[in-house]
Tab-separated table of all heavy atoms in Angstrom:
chain	number	residue	atom	x	y	z
A	104	VAL	N	129.349	115.916	118.287
A	104	VAL	CA	130.651	116.056	118.979
A	104	VAL	C	130.477	116.066	120.505
A	104	VAL	O	131.360	115.613	121.228
A	104	VAL	CB	131.457	117.309	118.528
A	104	VAL	CG1	131.838	117.198	117.073
A	104	VAL	CG2	130.717	118.587	118.794
A	105	ASP	N	129.335	116.541	120.990
A	105	ASP	CA	129.131	116.553	122.448
A	105	ASP	C	128.824	115.167	123.007
A	105	ASP	O	128.848	114.962	124.217
A	105	ASP	CB	127.963	117.490	122.825
A	105	ASP	CG	128.333	118.950	122.624
A	105	ASP	OD1	129.535	119.225	122.402
A	105	ASP	OD2	127.436	119.809	122.663
A	106	ASN	N	128.469	114.222	122.120
A	106	ASN	CA	128.013	112.913	122.619
A	106	ASN	C	128.790	111.745	122.016
A	106	ASN	O	128.300	110.616	121.989
A	106	ASN	CB	126.509	112.756	122.350
A	106	ASN	CG	125.704	113.762	123.155
A	106	ASN	OD1	125.451	113.556	124.333
A	106	ASN	ND2	125.338	114.879	122.525
A	107	GLY	N	129.984	112.023	121.535
A	107	GLY	CA	130.896	110.960	121.112
A	107	GLY	C	130.435	110.159	119.898
A	107	GLY	O	130.787	108.978	119.774
A	108	VAL	N	129.658	110.782	119.020
A	108	VAL	CA	129.261	110.077	117.790
A	108	VAL	C	130.517	109.827	116.944
A	108	VAL	O	131.374	110.695	116.833
A	108	VAL	CB	128.215	110.917	117.000
A	108	VAL	CG1	127.955	110.334	115.617
A	108	VAL	CG2	126.915	111.019	117.794
A	109	ARG	N	130.615	108.634	116.368
A	109	ARG	CA	131.804	108.297	115.577
A	109	ARG	C	131.756	108.933	114.191
A	109	ARG	O	132.750	109.429	113.687
A	109	ARG	CB	131.903	106.757	115.437
A	109	ARG	CG	133.042	106.295	114.538
A	109	ARG	CD	133.176	104.775	114.516
A	109	ARG	NE	132.018	104.067	114.022
A	109	ARG	CZ	131.728	103.858	112.730
A	109	ARG	NH1	132.528	104.329	111.791
A	109	ARG	NH2	130.648	103.182	112.374
A	110	LYS	N	130.520	108.904	113.571
A	110	LYS	CA	130.463	109.284	112.158
A	110	LYS	C	129.126	109.905	111.787
A	110	LYS	O	128.087	109.490	112.311
A	110	LYS	CB	130.669	108.018	111.306
A	110	LYS	CG	130.652	108.275	109.818
A	110	LYS	CD	131.067	107.049	109.029
A	110	LYS	CE	131.436	107.466	107.620
A	110	LYS	NZ	131.890	106.346	106.810
A	111	ILE	N	129.152	110.864	110.853
A	111	ILE	CA	127.914	111.381	110.256
A	111	ILE	C	127.920	111.044	108.758
A	111	ILE	O	128.959	111.155	108.093
A	111	ILE	CB	127.753	112.905	110.492
A	111	ILE	CG1	126.400	113.400	109.955
A	111	ILE	CG2	128.903	113.713	109.874
A	111	ILE	CD1	125.959	114.754	110.475
A	112	ILE	N	126.758	110.585	108.265
A	112	ILE	CA	126.592	110.344	106.825
A	112	ILE	C	125.635	111.420	106.340
A	112	ILE	O	124.529	111.587	106.884
A	112	ILE	CB	126.034	108.928	106.560
A	112	ILE	CG1	127.023	107.880	107.098
A	112	ILE	CG2	125.779	108.716	105.063
A	112	ILE	CD1	126.496	106.442	107.080
A	113	TYR	N	126.076	112.185	105.346
A	113	TYR	CA	125.319	113.371	104.929
A	113	TYR	C	124.944	113.276	103.447
A	113	TYR	O	125.829	113.146	102.591
A	113	TYR	CB	126.167	114.624	105.175
A	113	TYR	CG	125.547	115.886	104.632
A	113	TYR	CD1	124.443	116.456	105.259
A	113	TYR	CD2	126.058	116.514	103.494
A	113	TYR	CE1	123.852	117.616	104.755
A	113	TYR	CE2	125.479	117.675	102.989
A	113	TYR	CZ	124.382	118.212	103.633
A	113	TYR	OH	123.802	119.357	103.132
A	114	PRO	N	123.624	113.346	103.136
A	114	PRO	CA	123.224	113.311	101.736
A	114	PRO	C	123.287	114.696	101.115
A	114	PRO	O	122.515	115.590	101.465
A	114	PRO	CB	121.767	112.825	101.806
A	114	PRO	CG	121.268	113.305	103.124
A	114	PRO	CD	122.454	113.447	104.041
A	115	SER	N	124.219	114.871	100.190
A	115	SER	CA	124.293	116.125	99.448
A	115	SER	C	123.658	115.898	98.073
A	115	SER	O	122.954	114.901	97.880
A	115	SER	CB	125.745	116.581	99.356
A	115	SER	OG	125.803	117.868	98.796
A	116	SER	N	123.901	116.797	97.162
A	116	SER	CA	123.103	116.770	95.933
A	116	SER	C	123.905	117.225	94.719
A	116	SER	O	124.846	118.036	94.839
A	116	SER	CB	121.918	117.722	96.144
A	116	SER	OG	121.299	118.009	94.934
A	117	ALA	N	123.461	116.765	93.533
A	117	ALA	CA	124.024	117.245	92.268
A	117	ALA	C	123.840	118.752	92.143
A	117	ALA	O	124.559	119.413	91.388
A	117	ALA	CB	123.332	116.532	91.111
A	118	ALA	N	122.879	119.308	92.912
A	118	ALA	CA	122.594	120.754	92.848
A	118	ALA	C	123.804	121.595	93.251
A	118	ALA	O	123.871	122.772	92.902
A	118	ALA	CB	121.406	121.086	93.752
A	119	VAL	N	124.773	121.007	93.972
A	119	VAL	CA	125.932	121.801	94.396
A	119	VAL	C	126.811	122.185	93.197
A	119	VAL	O	127.515	123.183	93.230
A	119	VAL	CB	126.804	121.084	95.472
A	119	VAL	CG1	125.970	120.699	96.676
A	119	VAL	CG2	127.555	119.886	94.913
A	120	TYR	N	126.740	121.404	92.104
A	120	TYR	CA	127.627	121.665	90.957
A	120	TYR	C	127.125	122.796	90.065
A	120	TYR	O	127.910	123.424	89.367
A	120	TYR	CB	127.783	120.402	90.097
A	120	TYR	CG	128.415	119.241	90.812
A	120	TYR	CD1	127.706	118.056	91.053
A	120	TYR	CD2	129.738	119.306	91.248
A	120	TYR	CE1	128.292	116.981	91.697
A	120	TYR	CE2	130.327	118.231	91.905
A	120	TYR	CZ	129.601	117.076	92.121
A	120	TYR	OH	130.182	116.010	92.768
A	121	GLY	N	125.817	123.023	90.056
A	121	GLY	CA	125.266	124.015	89.128
A	121	GLY	C	125.352	123.537	87.695
A	121	GLY	O	125.300	122.326	87.437
A	122	LEU	N	125.515	124.465	86.738
A	122	LEU	CA	125.564	124.085	85.323
A	122	LEU	C	126.834	123.294	85.056
A	122	LEU	O	127.932	123.778	85.334
A	122	LEU	CB	125.565	125.339	84.442
A	122	LEU	CG	124.262	126.133	84.381
A	122	LEU	CD1	124.451	127.402	83.555
A	122	LEU	CD2	123.137	125.276	83.804
A	123	PRO	N	126.717	122.068	84.517
A	123	PRO	CA	127.930	121.265	84.305
A	123	PRO	C	128.809	121.833	83.194
A	123	PRO	O	128.295	122.245	82.153
A	123	PRO	CB	127.385	119.890	83.922
A	123	PRO	CG	125.939	120.051	83.635
A	123	PRO	CD	125.480	121.375	84.146
A	124	SER	N	130.136	121.838	83.430
A	124	SER	CA	131.028	122.267	82.347
A	124	SER	C	131.496	121.054	81.556
A	124	SER	O	132.107	121.190	80.509
A	124	SER	CB	132.195	123.087	82.884
A	124	SER	OG	132.784	122.449	83.963
A	125	TYR	N	131.232	119.838	82.060
A	125	TYR	CA	131.487	118.600	81.305
A	125	TYR	C	130.618	117.511	81.920
A	125	TYR	O	130.117	117.661	83.045
A	125	TYR	CB	132.984	118.209	81.372
A	125	TYR	CG	133.465	117.919	82.773
A	125	TYR	CD1	133.321	116.652	83.352
A	125	TYR	CD2	134.032	118.931	83.560
A	125	TYR	CE1	133.737	116.389	84.645
A	125	TYR	CE2	134.451	118.676	84.862
A	125	TYR	CZ	134.290	117.401	85.401
A	125	TYR	OH	134.692	117.149	86.690
A	126	LEU	N	130.454	116.414	81.189
A	126	LEU	CA	129.669	115.267	81.693
A	126	LEU	C	130.461	113.979	81.461
A	126	LEU	O	131.153	113.878	80.454
A	126	LEU	CB	128.325	115.169	80.953
A	126	LEU	CG	127.305	116.291	81.227
A	126	LEU	CD1	126.104	116.142	80.287
A	126	LEU	CD2	126.827	116.288	82.662
A	127	PRO	N	130.351	112.963	82.279
A	127	PRO	CA	129.695	112.991	83.578
A	127	PRO	C	130.513	113.791	84.594
A	127	PRO	O	131.744	113.812	84.514
A	127	PRO	CB	129.622	111.509	83.964
A	127	PRO	CG	130.741	110.860	83.220
A	127	PRO	CD	130.949	111.637	81.967
A	128	ILE	N	129.814	114.408	85.542
A	128	ILE	CA	130.445	115.313	86.500
A	128	ILE	C	131.219	114.510	87.551
A	128	ILE	O	130.679	113.588	88.162
A	128	ILE	CB	129.351	116.148	87.206
A	128	ILE	CG1	128.580	116.985	86.183
A	128	ILE	CG2	129.941	117.010	88.309
A	128	ILE	CD1	127.357	117.681	86.766
A	129	LYS	N	132.476	114.882	87.739
A	129	LYS	CA	133.274	114.254	88.819
A	129	LYS	C	133.169	115.127	90.068
A	129	LYS	O	132.801	116.301	89.978
A	129	LYS	CB	134.743	114.160	88.395
A	129	LYS	CG	135.017	113.114	87.341
A	129	LYS	CD	136.512	113.057	87.062
A	129	LYS	CE	136.856	112.087	85.959
A	129	LYS	NZ	136.610	110.682	86.285
A	130	GLU	N	133.559	114.555	91.208
A	130	GLU	CA	133.486	115.279	92.486
A	130	GLU	C	134.367	116.526	92.462
A	130	GLU	O	134.114	117.485	93.197
A	130	GLU	CB	133.914	114.380	93.652
A	130	GLU	CG	132.945	113.251	93.981
A	130	GLU	CD	133.067	112.035	93.070
A	130	GLU	OE1	133.848	112.065	92.083
A	130	GLU	OE2	132.377	111.036	93.338
A	131	SER	N	135.407	116.528	91.604
A	131	SER	CA	136.321	117.677	91.537
A	131	SER	C	135.776	118.819	90.672
A	131	SER	O	136.408	119.867	90.543
A	131	SER	CB	137.664	117.207	90.966
A	131	SER	OG	137.430	116.534	89.734
A	132	HIS	N	134.587	118.633	90.080
A	132	HIS	CA	133.961	119.686	89.263
A	132	HIS	C	133.763	120.941	90.105
A	132	HIS	O	133.560	120.867	91.315
A	132	HIS	CB	132.598	119.161	88.773
A	132	HIS	CG	131.903	120.056	87.794
A	132	HIS	ND1	131.219	121.186	88.167
A	132	HIS	CD2	131.770	119.970	86.445
A	132	HIS	CE1	130.697	121.759	87.107
A	132	HIS	NE2	131.025	121.040	86.038
A	133	THR	N	133.804	122.106	89.468
A	133	THR	CA	133.580	123.381	90.176
A	133	THR	C	132.253	123.337	90.924
A	133	THR	O	131.262	122.823	90.409
A	133	THR	CB	133.458	124.542	89.150
A	133	THR	OG1	134.299	124.266	88.073
A	133	THR	CG2	133.733	125.887	89.790
Side-chain angles (χ1 to χ4, degrees):
V104 296
D105 289 349
N106 294 279
V108 171
R109 175 175 61 83
K110 181 171 197 178
I111 184 163
I112 299 172
Y113 173 73
S115 188
S116 165
V119 304
Y120 298 115
L122 289 176
S124 48
Y125 62 85
L126 292 173
I128 299 172
K129 287 183 183 293
E130 291 80 355
S131 53
H132 187 281
T133 326

